[in-house]
Amino acid sequence: MDRVSSFDEPLKKLLGGATAKVMAEHLDLHTVGDLLHHYPRRYEERGKLTALADLPLDEHVTVLAQVADARILMFNNGRGKRLEVTLTDGSGRLQLVFFGHGVHKPHKELLPGRQAMFAGKVSVFNRKMQLAHPTYQLLDASDADEATEAVDAFAGRLLPIYPACKQLDSWRIAKAVDAVLPSAQDAVDPLPVSLREGRGFTPLPEALLKVHRPQTKADVEDAKARLKWDEAFVLQVALARRRYADTQLPAVARRPVADGLLDAFDAKLPFTLTEGQEKVSKEIFDDLATEHPMHRLLQGEVGSGKTMVALRAMLTVVDAGGQAAMLAPTEVLAQQHHRSITEMMGELAEGGMLGGSDQGTKVVLLTGSMGMAARRQALLDLVTGEAGIVIGTHALIEDKVQFHDLGLVVVDEQHRFGVEQRDALRSKGKQPPHLLVMTATPIPRTVAMTVFGDLETSVLDQLPAGRSPIASHVVPAKDKPHFLARAWERVAEEVENGHQAYVVCPRIGDDAEEIEGKKGKAAKKASEEDPEKRPPLAVLEIADELRKAALAGLSVEVLHGRMHPDEKDDVMRRFAAGDVDVLVATTVIEVGVNVPNATAMVIMDADRFGVSQLHQLRGRVGRGSAPGLCLLVSEAHEASPARARLSAVAATLDGFELSRIDLEQRREGDVLGQAQSGVRSSLRMLTVIDDEEVIAAAREEAVAIVAADPELEHLPELRTVLAALLDKDREEYLDKG
């Protein structure tokens, strides 16, 4: 068997169809290589029993314990029987329960004194922790002497506990790993020999053996160090090759022009740019002046003035004879950007129109819901080059949209755009246009290096002068209802002082099924039995309640994604004009909505939102000279992780700090999401937030290797591993990035 193919061998050949099917469907493991890279989550020391006292509720666990007691109980007038087994490990006790026909085998086997491994989901019954119908594996032999020997032989050995699922327990996975472990010898080592030896790494086959069947804790550390490096290095090589390939593409250099549109714009600005804005603008202008496409990520705190920086870049491109397109994730946001950019530019945005400036250009909006006439005119302005700047949603990507000379694409809120969509827009230039990606979700440096490793990064971490601090507080609605009443009083006070407020809810509340259907009835019943299970609060219901009671007499309007676009735009326009006191909305207001007079925000069921989403939402207030107030309303229990998350958000306004907290809580899965989806093996050993040094070192090595040998001609093993990591579709996906 050649060196690669044993890793590509389908699992069903070695493990049998049933096991392979479960592994494929529930654990996404298909080949021998997949299973060898399914690493243990942790290791139990066999001689030392797991602490039963620390079992997490609602999680699938594996415990090593001793049977203290087992008895059969009758119920239902003797028609039903159940077996109750009590386990102990010195730290606590745990109840097992088996029902019906399932009691016979465990009743014979689980005798007091016997030691076994048990797996199941932890629940609570009659205030006691229990596992219902757990699967188990006996560890001691039937003969007493042999039992002692078996336990002694077991003691001191490290027992791998694998990420498992209900259908397949950890030790069954361990048995499957035993079957494929000989193939570890065929592992293709991606690290160049000089790098491996220079850093003193264990060879890959040995690292795989050590991670699955360690003799000592040192074996585990050894293996982890090596496997983390592989993950970081291979991913960084893929990104470095992408960056290198980008530098080889041709692009039209767009250099600033003296006394052009940009100078005219800067001259009429009523404020000076912050130091950060100046610095980042220079980085962007330098990139635009080169003859290969810019690929830059602009991260900025909520309200740090990213739009201003992007607009200046767009004006530079227009000065140089090109066009610039700004892509926004929603219609509300596209309209908002169009409004704020035309306001900032004034007569400069009315090129060729009566009263417009001679130096000006046209700024057009293009969204899916525009009327035919307006749309036809916008398309005409783009193809003739009349419009230097276009702002739009996905509608910009459609085939019929043609540009005269597309020079720059600005993508707002990167995480909401698929790579394919960005690529479709980029293909509309005669040559690849320059690309500026903006995000208001601050990303820790390590994540930026891993996820956006093909983009150069600029950070705006300074707030412009005149922005006000925002005070944030958690309102425990369940424990202290009078706090919620006070929150509404605060909103009324802000309105009395001439300001406006937002109220954000997780749900719209106009879905018939939600209210009348089966789900609605089930949810209603569940919420009566357990308030934790009630459906999230809804915009329409809360708006009604506020109009009738707490905010009676004030102008309260709603905004949500299911409204007609014209209606949404009308509400936003009236809110921006100050005609609406309180806007009750879903997260459609999360990004880009700019109403400096709005000073207060109440977020209902705040625990149902993520950390970065709360930070985004909060950034909608305090945008003027008056201080902002953000109240996070929650019924979550004081000791719950949800409340801890809210307290973290209330305690800091630093988005980078919050994104770190967020990442520690969610781990990488969600964060790498789309950006990692072009990579077959998402990270298994490496944790982006904890392994900063590994990632930085791997990136350095990867850049040096790709600079010296872009095609990796002298590193066939590394090429093989990259090919396995990036199949053809994924390769294209990464190339489009």
Side-chain angles (χ1 to χ4, degrees):
M1 192 181 289
D2 74 41
R3 297 182 66 201
V4 192
S5 65
S6 71
F7 260 49
D8 291 336
E9 192 82 55
L11 284 172
K12 60 173 174 268
K13 275 197 178 173
L14 288 156
L15 305 179
T19 306
K21 187 169 188 265
V22 172
M23 285 193 166
E25 285 176 8
H26 297 279
L27 297 168
D28 196 21
L29 305 174
H30 307 273
T31 63
V32 167
D34 290 346
L35 183 53
L36 285 173
H37 289 302
H38 186 70
Y39 306 129
R41 176 181 284 147
R42 61 191 169 87
Y43 301 86
E44 288 291 3
E45 284 186 69
R46 283 174 165 159
K48 192 177 77 190
L49 301 183
T50 322
L52 292 182
D54 301 333
L55 288 182
L57 252 183
D58 282 340
E59 280 198 25
H60 204 76
V61 298
T62 303
V63 298
L64 190 60
Q66 198 161 22
V67 177
D69 174 48
R71 55 192 168 160
I72 284 198
L73 302 172
M74 298 297 188
F75 61 92
N76 224 353
N77 291 331
R79 284 198 299 277
K81 60 166 83 168
R82 74 172 181 272
L83 170 66
E84 283 189 1
V85 180
T86 306
L87 302 181
T88 176
D89 70 346
S91 76
R93 295 168 89 78
L94 175 67
Q95 192 99 30
L96 309 181
V97 60
F98 300 87
F99 292 101
H101 299 303
V103 305
H104 305 303
K105 188 167 177 256
H107 189 221
K108 280 191 212 146
E109 294 181 334
L110 299 177
L111 303 172
R114 302 215 60 177
Q115 206 181 23
M117 277 206 297
F118 300 89
K121 197 172 185 182
V122 184
S123 57
V124 169
F125 182 70
N126 276 346
R127 299 193 178 172
K128 281 186 188 164
M129 292 272 213
Q130 74 164 26
L131 298 183
H133 278 284
T135 42
Y136 60 90
Q137 184 184 5
L138 296 170
L139 298 182
D140 42 1
S142 51
D143 180 283
D145 295 335
E146 273 185 43
T148 315
E149 272 173 42
V151 172
D152 288 346
F154 239 69
R157 287 284 304 281
L158 291 171
L159 196 67
I161 305 294
Y162 288 91
C165 60
K166 194 174 166 186
Q167 295 79 0
L168 204 62
D169 298 315
S170 170
W171 53 82
R172 294 214 182 111
I173 296 170
K175 278 185 177 163
V177 169
D178 285 337
V180 302
L181 212 46
S183 299
Q185 293 308 318
D186 301 327
V188 176
D189 198 324
L191 296 192
V193 178
S194 57
L195 175 78
R196 191 173 73 230
E197 289 173 356
R199 290 186 175 264
F201 286 130
T202 304
L204 184 56
E206 195 185 316
L208 288 168
L209 285 171
K210 280 180 169 177
V211 80
H212 288 293
R213 298 295 171 261
Q215 299 297 313
T216 63
K217 288 181 179 169
D219 281 355
V220 175
E221 291 316 306
D222 235 21
K224 279 186 170 176
R226 167 67 217 251
L227 296 167
K228 275 182 180 183
W229 240 90
D230 281 20
E231 285 182 4
F233 177 70
V234 172
L235 186 58
Q236 291 301 337
V237 167
L239 291 166
R241 290 185 75 191
R242 216 158 102 184
R243 274 198 310 278
Y244 179 83
D246 285 337
T247 63
Q248 305 308 300
L249 289 172
V252 179
R254 311 283 178 174
R255 297 184 180 89
V257 172
D259 300 326
L261 195 49
L262 179 65
D263 285 351
F265 175 74
D266 284 351
K268 65 194 275 304
L269 277 182
F271 51 80
T272 53
L273 297 173
T274 66
E275 217 175 289
Q277 284 174 319
E278 292 279 14
K279 178 177 143 288
V280 169
S281 287
K282 184 181 183 317
E283 290 170 353
I284 293 171
F285 292 160
D286 289 349
D287 280 358
L288 289 173
T290 61
E291 290 178 354
H292 58 81
M294 163 172 83
H295 277 123
R296 190 166 282 279
L297 173 69
L298 172 56
Q299 299 195 54
E301 272 294 7
V302 177
S304 56
K306 290 183 299 299
T307 311
M308 171 63 69
V309 168
L311 176 55
R312 294 182 76 241
M314 294 198 285
L315 295 175
T316 302
V317 168
V318 175
D319 274 342
Q323 289 169 295
M326 183 185 251
L327 209 53
T330 64
E331 293 214 352
V332 167
L333 191 50
Q335 288 160 347
Q336 177 77 32
H337 275 314
H338 182 251
R339 206 161 32 238
S340 61
I341 283 172
T342 48
E343 278 166 16
M344 283 197 263
M345 287 176 63
E347 74 278 7
L348 296 173
E350 296 164 4
M353 291 153 76
L354 216 56
S357 158
D358 294 345
Q359 286 167 307
T361 187
K362 250 190 194 179
V363 178
V364 302
L365 175 69
L366 190 62
T367 63
S369 65
M370 284 169 75
M372 276 314 292
R375 188 179 172 73
R376 202 172 291 122
Q377 184 59 52
L379 290 172
L380 188 66
D381 289 341
L382 285 181
V383 77
T384 59
E386 273 294 290
I389 294 175
V390 57
I391 294 146
T393 53
H394 301 75
L396 278 179
I397 299 167
E398 289 167 16
D399 290 345
K400 51 172 100 64
V401 179
Q402 297 297 322
F403 290 85
H404 176 64
D405 179 13
L406 181 61
L408 169 67
V409 174
V410 179
V411 177
D412 192 20
E413 284 312 307
Q414 145 68 23
H415 62 279
R416 302 193 178 194
F417 266 104
V419 175
E420 291 85 356
Q421 293 162 326
R422 284 201 335 234
D423 188 55
L425 190 57
R426 273 168 53 180
S427 67
K428 290 184 176 294
K430 294 191 175 87
Q431 284 189 329
H434 298 282
L435 176 70
L436 179 65
V437 168
M438 300 200 297
T439 175
T441 309
I443 305 162
R445 176 171 160 268
T446 39
V447 181
M449 283 192 319
T450 307
V451 177
F452 302 108
D454 61 322
L455 301 173
E456 299 299 326
T457 306
S458 296
V459 177
L460 274 177
D461 46 14
Q462 233 181 333
L463 288 187
R467 288 300 299 260
S468 304
I470 304 167
S472 305
H473 304 285
V474 178
V475 177
K478 200 171 179 183
D479 314 341
K480 301 181 178 164
H482 59 286
F483 275 37
L484 181 58
R486 177 71 191 118
W488 300 128
E489 283 170 17
R490 283 291 290 111
V491 168
E493 285 162 17
E494 289 296 311
V495 172
E496 217 168 285
N497 293 331
H499 299 301
Q500 292 157 280
Y502 297 99
V503 177
V504 182
C505 303
R507 196 169 63 103
I508 298 170
D510 64 350
D511 186 358
E513 188 181 61
E514 266 177 3
I515 298 158
E516 293 157 14
K518 283 183 189 163
K519 279 187 190 166
K521 285 174 186 157
K524 189 169 185 286
K525 185 170 185 291
S527 65
E528 282 162 7
E529 288 165 13
D530 178 1
E532 294 285 311
K533 290 195 175 121
R534 67 163 172 74
L537 294 171
V539 166
L540 301 177
E541 293 155 22
I542 293 291
D544 267 356
E545 284 172 28
L546 292 176
R547 287 186 190 115
K548 285 176 192 156
L551 302 179
L554 301 186
S555 154
V556 177
E557 294 270 3
V558 300
L559 181 72
H560 57 75
R562 241 177 265 151
M563 288 162 63
H564 186 276
D566 292 349
E567 206 183 341
K568 276 194 278 198
D569 203 33
D570 176 56
V571 171
M572 246 353 278
R573 210 178 283 279
R574 287 188 294 116
F575 187 65
D579 301 337
V580 174
D581 298 325
V582 179
L583 188 63
V584 185
T586 54
T587 53
V588 290
I589 61 150
E590 180 185 347
V591 220
V593 171
N594 184 25
V595 180
N597 191 45
T599 53
M601 174 175 286
V602 180
I603 303 179
M604 307 302 291
D605 277 344
D607 47 279
R608 313 249 182 159
F609 298 100
V611 170
S612 62
Q613 214 174 12
L614 290 169
H615 183 58
Q616 285 285 343
L617 287 165
R618 169 171 63 185
R620 301 303 108 215
V621 296
R623 299 178 79 88
S625 51
L629 171 69
C630 179
L631 302 174
L632 306 166
V633 179
S634 169
E635 290 188 5
H637 191 275
E638 196 168 354
S640 65
R643 273 288 283 281
R645 213 168 56 230
L646 295 183
S647 301
V649 174
T652 178
L653 291 171
D654 179 344
F656 286 92
E657 173 60 25
L658 282 175
S659 65
R660 251 196 120 76
I661 293 168
D662 194 21
L663 190 54
E664 275 163 6
Q665 287 180 344
R666 294 190 299 153
R667 306 315 295 175
E668 286 69 37
D670 314 350
V671 182
L672 300 186
Q674 183 79 13
Q676 270 267 302
S677 68
V679 176
R680 177 180 292 160
S681 121
S682 61
L683 308 183
R684 295 169 192 223
M685 187 62 83
L686 192 75
T687 52
V688 172
I689 201 75
D690 302 326
D691 296 316
E692 190 156 347
E693 285 161 20
V694 176
I695 291 168
R699 180 177 172 125
E700 223 167 275
E701 295 276 12
V703 168
I705 280 167
V706 170
D709 182 4
E711 293 305 314
L712 306 178
E713 281 170 24
H714 305 295
L715 298 168
E717 289 85 4
L718 179 54
R719 247 198 352 260
T720 301
V721 172
L722 269 177
L725 182 75
L726 315 168
D727 60 25
K728 196 73 203 121
D729 298 345
R730 294 178 163 100
E731 182 86 324
E732 280 169 17
Y733 180 104
L734 275 176
D735 282 347
K736 290 171 184 175

